[in-house]
Amino acid sequence: AALRGHKVTLYEKSNALGGHLIEGSVPDFKKDYERLLKWYKVELESLSVGSKMSIEITPELIEKEKPDVIIIATGSKPIIPDIPGIDKDKVATATDVLLGKEKVGEKVVVIGGGLIGCETALWLAQQGKKVTIVEMLGDLMSAGLPVPHANRIMLLDLLKFNKVEAVINHELLEVTDEGVVLIGKDFKEKSVEADSVVLSVGLKPDKELYNTLAGKIPNLYLIGDAREARNIMGSIWDAYEVVRAL
């Protein structure tokens, strides 16, 4: 938007720019994400885009600023399954674990064998943790947006090399003091010991701000994970298409 001559102000309710790019760039094998985030920060500064941190947008603030256009990019939140024991101290989201907000023990069960779950499992295994991935489908990284074949095969090889176990065709039934109880497609239960349980069962759009403003603001746009949880390319493309049409 700034490159096209618009006067842009970026509001962020946390104290850091980047959203999921921040935790996504934590593992050593994901440092390209960190470089991308640094590139954006340099570009924003060079284009004199105002960044207002630790400020949450309210209708009152919008009334005061009177912007011509509002682009909502509030991202997504981890999905938390509603099962017994999910509120135990040993349970944490992959996001909080990657950001260092939650510590994990030596035996870790990662719930969800998508890309984020597998990358988090690999990162923990490289720290010497004994990691088990639980996936409800018949294979890892087989649902959602396709993972490029070469990346998927490399990640599977790295998981195997780092002795990460995978329990497929099983769902989380309960979190216990000893670990987790799983249930298979054959309805048989299986217990796995765990000091920590890391949730990575997907992300859901955070549309709270958009829903508050919808119908009250004429030029209101919803982009990125706030529209549909996908990947970085999807978010960048959303932003491009909206701004190109302004």
Side-chain angles (χ1 to χ4, degrees):
L3 284 169
R4 290 175 63 83
H6 299 286
K7 182 184 177 183
V8 185
T9 304
L10 182 61
Y11 284 86
E12 169 57 43
K13 73 175 182 179
S14 74
N15 61 359
L17 296 176
H20 289 309
L21 271 179
I22 300 173
E23 72 262 19
S25 62
V26 168
D28 291 341
F29 51 88
K30 298 295 292 292
K31 289 306 177 186
D32 278 353
Y33 282 15
E34 187 174 58
R35 290 174 55 217
L36 176 62
L37 182 51
K38 287 180 179 177
W39 180 84
Y40 271 117
K41 290 178 179 178
V42 169
E43 290 295 301
L44 290 172
E45 186 175 349
S46 68
L47 292 167
S48 300
V49 173
S51 298
K52 299 192 176 183
M53 312 301 296
S54 302
I55 296 178
E56 190 163 359
I57 291 291
T58 62
E60 292 75 22
L61 179 59
I62 291 172
E63 178 62 28
K64 177 184 175 183
E65 296 294 331
K66 293 182 169 54
D68 298 316
V69 175
I70 297 177
I71 298 174
I72 304 292
T74 43
S76 56
K77 298 178 178 178
I79 295 172
I80 309 296
D82 183 16
I83 60 166
I86 202 69
D87 55 350
K88 288 182 178 293
D89 290 341
K90 65 164 60 184
V91 181
T93 64
T95 295
D96 283 347
V97 171
L98 286 164
L99 291 175
K101 293 181 179 179
E102 297 285 347
K103 303 298 182 184
V104 299
E106 293 306 307
K107 295 179 181 178
V108 184
V109 169
V110 176
I111 305 298
L115 181 60
I116 296 173
C118 288
E119 289 181 340
T120 303
L122 174 60
W123 178 66
L124 291 170
Q126 288 176 338
Q127 298 174 44
K129 310 293 185 183
K130 184 179 185 301
V131 185
T132 301
I133 300 173
V134 176
E135 169 56 47
M136 64 184 295
L137 300 178
D139 204 357
L140 300 178
M141 294 176 282
S142 60
L145 288 171
V147 179
H149 179 72
N151 298 48
R152 181 174 180 272
I153 296 302
M154 179 191 68
L155 188 48
L156 290 173
D157 285 346
L158 286 169
L159 290 170
K160 184 177 180 181
F161 179 79
N162 285 274
K163 297 181 174 56
V164 174
E165 296 183 14
V167 179
I168 59 174
N169 292 315
H170 279 73
E171 295 183 48
L172 179 62
L173 187 63
E174 181 181 3
V175 179
T176 66
D177 291 339
E178 293 75 30
V180 295
V181 178
L182 311 175
I183 185 167
K185 299 293 185 183
D186 55 2
F187 298 103
K188 292 182 179 179
E189 295 184 9
K190 174 185 177 71
S191 296
V192 179
E193 288 186 11
D195 304 315
S196 302
V197 179
V198 178
L199 301 177
S200 182
V201 295
L203 299 166
K204 59 182 179 181
D206 182 358
K207 296 184 179 181
E208 185 177 349
L209 177 59
Y210 177 81
N211 292 336
T212 300
L213 301 176
K216 302 174 185 176
I217 305 295
N219 295 312
L220 182 68
Y221 299 91
L222 185 67
I223 66 171
D225 268 17
R227 188 169 72 86
E228 180 184 3
R230 291 175 294 165
N231 55 20
I232 295 172
M233 184 175 71
S235 296
I236 293 173
W237 191 256
D238 265 4
Y240 169 77
E241 288 293 343
V242 165
V243 175
R244 186 177 63 85
L246 290 180

